[in-house]
Amino acid sequence: MSMLFKSIQFKDLTIKNRIMMAPMCVYSAKDGVVSDFHMAHLGSRAVGGVGLIMVEATGVSPEGRISPYDAGIWDKKHVEAFKPIVRFCKSFGSAMGIQLAHAGRKASTDAPWLGEKPLNSQNGAWQTLAPSAIQFNEGFPVPKEMDYNDIKKVINDFTNAAKNANDAGFDIIEIHAAHGYLINEFLSPESNKRTDLYGGPIENRARLLLEIITSIKSVWSENKPIFVRISAIDWVEGGVQLEDSVYLAKMLKKVGISLIDCSSGGISPHAKMKIYHGYQIKFADEIRKKADIPVSTVGLITKPEFADYLVASDLVDMVALGRELLRNPYWPLYAAHKLGVDIEWPDQYKRAKL
Ligand SMILES: Cc1cc2nc3c(=O)[nH]c(=O)nc-3n(C[C@H](O)[C@H](O)[C@H](O)COP(=O)(O)O)c2cc1C
């Protein structure tokens, strides 16, 4: 019996299967406002049967965007633009999540197909922020070391974004604490050299994340889940190691986080990542066992049988697919057929049911 198509409950939310669309920036928003492309892009995955659609890293402030083309959620105009997309996707039975993000020292870059380079004063660069004034890589600007006012503003921005996400109809918010962006920069000793309450031991490096969560909880219903995406390891000596992430996951469980979305890397361009099918499963499994918290894994998962095995063998609770869902928006319909599970197809496509 397939486990991939067994529903899962987080607080008051039931998700119809264990398939999550991984958050993926599509660099197609204008001034943070999502576009027709987002409707087609996210809507087709809902039609395709994805259980949980996690909307791309969405800026909590203009300066928190990776590029000028990122989605944003700091203003009411963003809420209005998201509403019809959320409504459409939900009408096909998908749960809707949004990844709230601040890009920190990796902000202010161009879209991937425009070179992904840091912007300059001629093409709209803005001041980047980080726990310490250390550039991400050669050619990147030196970020401003955040003072307490900057920290307070970021916490307020995440809180305002969570409130807006709620108004737009989202079921879940996922805090982006991975891939070398702002919160990961605080968590990692590689980028956080502070000597105040926000630097040093893991309890201090996690302070910003925990303060953001506490503040978000004042505007986000207790009955609605919050996920956190982390980089379980930085893949660099002196960076975050798996035991730090297990410890962090235990802290996150205590403050009521429903799931840890386990990714890795991104803090350093010199990281030596070993990438193969399911290369991040071991991180998720270790965190799940040692911190006793639901987890998802992501990374080169393409085959229905493999995804099903990961859930059935109790390694993970959800499986996130990124690029495979870009290649094949109807992957869940096809996966159900491969696994011999009879799921409801959209009325409009019933004549094509496998
Ligand atoms: C086009 C693209 C955009 C991405 N944008 C994000 C993002 O906004 N937030 C995030 O946490 N990860 C992002 N990622 C990483 C994916 O969520 C995922 O972790 C990664 O692609 C590995 O999974 P896959 O092998 O199934 O693609 C992105 C990946 C791709 C390919």
Side-chain angles (χ1 to χ4, degrees):
M1 155 82 184
S2 158
M3 290 300 287
L4 194 61
F5 286 89
K6 193 166 180 282
S7 66
I8 186 166
Q9 181 94 20
F10 295 103
K11 302 203 169 181
D12 279 357
L13 177 72
T14 305
I15 303 177
K16 67 180 174 183
N17 60 45
R18 308 303 182 90
I19 303 164
M20 183 195 322
M21 178 179 179
M24 283 179 286
C25 290
V26 289
Y27 306 95
S28 299
K30 207 169 166 199
D31 195 21
V33 178
V34 285
S35 62
D36 291 351
F37 184 83
H38 289 88
M39 175 60 99
H41 168 64
L42 300 168
S44 54
R45 276 72 193 181
V47 172
V50 169
L52 169 61
I53 294 177
M54 188 59 71
V55 170
E56 69 192 78
T58 302
V60 298
S61 61
E63 67 279 7
R65 291 173 297 170
I66 303 165
S67 82
Y69 318 104
D70 289 23
I73 185 98
W74 63 86
D75 192 271
K76 295 295 166 222
K77 69 183 176 193
H78 303 125
V79 174
E80 293 312 312
F82 268 124
K83 271 184 184 169
I85 298 174
V86 172
R87 200 164 47 231
F88 177 85
C89 293
K90 282 188 177 183
S91 76
F92 281 86
S94 298
M96 291 300 289
I98 182 169
Q99 191 185 48
L100 303 183
H102 190 301
R105 67 180 184 176
K106 289 170 80 174
S108 186
T109 61
D110 225 335
W113 53 85
L114 299 172
E116 213 170 11
K117 295 227 163 34
L119 299 172
N120 55 47
S121 53
Q122 271 80 55
N123 62 2
W126 61 86
Q127 172 70 64
T128 58
L129 297 171
S132 305
I134 305 168
Q135 65 189 150
F136 170 64
N137 198 7
E138 261 173 54
F140 273 71
V142 176
K144 176 185 180 230
E145 176 173 319
M146 288 169 70
D147 61 26
Y148 290 130
N149 284 333
D150 296 321
I151 289 176
K152 212 167 152 213
K153 178 178 182 306
V154 164
I155 295 169
N156 286 340
D157 288 341
F158 269 93
T159 311
N160 173 53
K163 192 176 174 314
N164 286 342
N166 188 59
D167 293 347
F170 283 102
D171 302 302
I172 295 181
I173 46 179
E174 174 171 278
I175 301 172
H176 197 350
H179 301 167
Y181 297 115
L182 186 70
I183 299 175
N184 190 183
E185 288 159 22
F186 270 84
L187 289 169
S188 177
E190 170 78 8
S191 45
N192 182 347
K193 307 292 180 193
R194 296 175 79 100
T195 53
D196 64 0
L197 278 175
Y198 292 89
I202 177 71
E203 290 80 3
N204 284 2
R205 286 182 276 120
R207 192 176 302 278
L208 175 65
L209 173 58
L210 292 168
E211 288 182 347
I212 287 172
I213 293 167
T214 304
S215 182
I216 281 180
K217 280 161 71 180
S218 67
V219 298
W220 186 255
S221 162
E222 215 180 291
N223 303 324
K224 291 173 76 163
I226 304 176
F227 290 3
V228 176
R229 181 171 256 207
I230 62 167
S231 279
I233 66 167
D234 282 337
W235 297 97
V236 285
E237 230 176 277
V240 169
Q241 308 299 326
L242 192 50
E243 57 267 29
D244 301 318
S245 291
V246 169
Y247 189 77
L248 175 67
K250 286 180 181 167
M251 290 197 267
L252 294 176
K253 183 182 175 182
K254 268 196 203 138
V255 296
I257 294 305
S258 292
L259 176 139
I260 309 286
D261 179 1
C262 295
S263 189
S264 69
I267 202 76
S268 164
H270 310 297
K272 293 194 172 57
M273 297 178 69
K274 293 193 194 89
I275 294 179
Y276 49 88
H277 285 272
Y279 65 103
Q280 297 177 130
I281 295 162
K282 57 182 180 295
F283 309 140
D285 178 42
E286 181 99 349
I287 288 171
R288 187 178 196 263
K289 289 207 174 84
K290 294 200 170 149
D292 190 26
I293 186 168
V295 296
S296 62
T297 189
V298 67
L300 286 175
I301 297 165
T302 57
K303 300 264 186 306
E305 296 81 358
F306 188 48
D308 191 48
Y309 158 80
L310 296 177
V311 182
S313 49
D314 254 1
L315 291 167
V316 300
D317 299 276
M318 294 201 74
V319 180
L321 275 73
R323 288 161 292 180
E324 184 59 20
L325 270 172
L326 295 187
R327 287 185 283 265
N328 182 0
Y330 305 135
W331 189 90
L333 301 180
Y334 156 81
H337 170 68
K338 287 282 281 183
L339 297 171
V341 186
D342 188 20
I343 60 164
E344 188 74 10
W345 275 47
D347 289 343
Q348 296 87 339
Y349 290 0
K350 280 204 162 89
R351 288 173 69 185
K353 188 168 177 182
L354 292 164

